[in-house]
Amino acid sequence: MSSAMRWWRDAGVDVMIDEKPRNWLAAAVAAPDRPPVVVTTRVEKPKSLETLVDWLMTSNNVPEIGPVARRVRPAGNASSGLMVLTGVPEIADVESGLYFAGALSPLFEKMLGSLGRDRDTIYLASVSPGRPPSGRLSDAAVKSLSELARDHVRFVAPQQLWVVGSAASCAILGMTDVQASGSLQTVNLDGVMVDVIATAHPRILDTREKKKRAWDSMKLLVEKDVL
C-alpha cells in the first residue's frame, strides 16, 4: 500500500480524496482563448522635406504604395512657388520615372505653359509615389495618406498648389476635384498658407468642355499671381 501511495505522489497526485465531486468522464473544458498580442511599431513622423521624401520612397508602412522599385520620386524646384500634386503615377510614369510622361506629356506641358511655367519651374509630386494595381487609391488609403500629403505641401511651402485629380483634391481639400472646380481655396497647413486650385486629371481631359473647365480653375492662379 505504501509503495502504491508513493507511486501516486511521484506522479504528482498529493490529494487522494477530493471533497468536491468530479465527473471523471466529462470532456475536458478548453481554456478560454487569450486575445492575440498585437505588436505595434511606432513610426516616427518625418520632420523635413528630405526625410519625408526618403521615407515615401523606401518605407513599407505606406498603404497601397507598392514595391520600392516602382515608385516615382518628386521632381522639380521646391523653391519655385508652385507645387503640382497628383494622386498616383501613371503606368508610363512608373516606367520612365517621370510624372505625366508618355502620351500625357504634351498636354501637361501645354497646361504648365498656360501658367507661364515648365517642368523646371514647378515642384511635382504625388500623394502616393507608387501605383496600386487598380490604378487608383482607395478611400481608406487617401484618408491614411492625407496627413503625409499635407505635410509634404507644408514642407515645400509653395505660394500656390495645383491638385490634379480626385485623390489629391480629397487629400488636401477634403473634397473631390469636381466639387472644388472653379474656386480658389486657401488652406492653412500648420501656419503655412497656400492658395489651391483643383482640376481633373489630364488623362480625362478629352473634350473642349473639360479642358475649358480645367482652364477656368487654372486661370485663378494666374489672376492671383498678377494681383
Side-chain angles (χ1 to χ4, degrees):
M1 181 66 178
S2 61
S3 61
M5 294 289 291
R6 188 181 308 112
W7 188 91
W8 283 106
R9 282 197 299 270
D10 292 342
V13 179
D14 56 359
V15 178
M16 297 301 297
I17 300 175
D18 193 345
E19 294 181 356
K20 296 181 181 179
R22 179 181 300 181
N23 184 357
W24 293 97
L25 299 179
V29 178
D33 292 335
R34 293 183 178 181
V37 177
V38 178
V39 179
T40 57
T41 303
R42 185 178 181 273
V43 178
E44 185 176 355
K45 188 176 178 180
K47 294 181 173 60
S48 69
L49 178 60
E50 292 75 15
T51 56
L52 183 143
V53 170
D54 287 344
W55 190 80
L56 286 173
M57 296 301 295
T58 59
S59 175
N60 292 318
N61 293 319
V62 186
E64 301 183 23
I65 198 171
V68 170
R70 294 184 62 79
R71 300 179 193 178
V72 180
R73 181 175 287 273
N77 182 357
S79 302
S80 65
L82 174 62
M83 179 174 177
V84 181
L85 183 72
T86 187
V88 299
E90 299 295 298
I91 294 175
D93 304 352
V94 173
E95 294 172 348
S96 67
L98 180 71
Y99 286 105
F100 299 106
L104 292 179
S105 182
L107 175 57
F108 177 66
E109 290 174 3
K110 285 181 181 178
M111 295 173 80
L112 286 180
S114 70
L115 297 174
R117 302 277 187 158
D118 57 27
R119 288 181 180 269
D120 293 330
T121 56
I122 63 166
Y123 179 80
L124 182 54
S126 58
V127 174
S128 169
R131 179 178 175 84
S134 65
R136 63 180 298 273
L137 293 171
S138 67
D139 292 343
V142 172
K143 184 176 180 179
S144 297
L145 290 166
S146 61
E147 183 178 1
L148 280 172
R150 293 170 71 86
D151 280 345
H152 200 157
V153 177
R154 180 169 60 85
F155 290 143
V156 175
Q159 293 176 323
Q160 299 178 328
L161 172 66
W162 170 17
V163 291
V164 180
S166 186
S169 183
C170 286
I172 301 300
L173 296 175
M175 65 182 81
T176 67
D177 60 288
V178 175
Q179 293 170 320
S181 178
S183 64
L184 181 70
Q185 309 279 336
T186 299
V187 296
N188 183 347
L189 303 174
D190 291 341
V192 176
M193 308 299 291
V194 184
D195 291 330
V196 187
I197 58 106
T199 71
H201 196 283
R203 177 183 2 93
I204 65 171
L205 297 180
D206 52 3
T207 66
R208 291 188 64 182
E209 181 182 355
K210 291 179 181 178
K211 291 176 181 177
K212 181 181 182 304
R213 190 178 303 124
W215 170 240
D216 286 342
S217 293
M218 294 175 66
K219 68 183 181 182
L220 296 173
L221 290 183
V222 177
E223 292 169 355
K224 182 66 178 288
D225 200 33
V226 170
L227 294 177

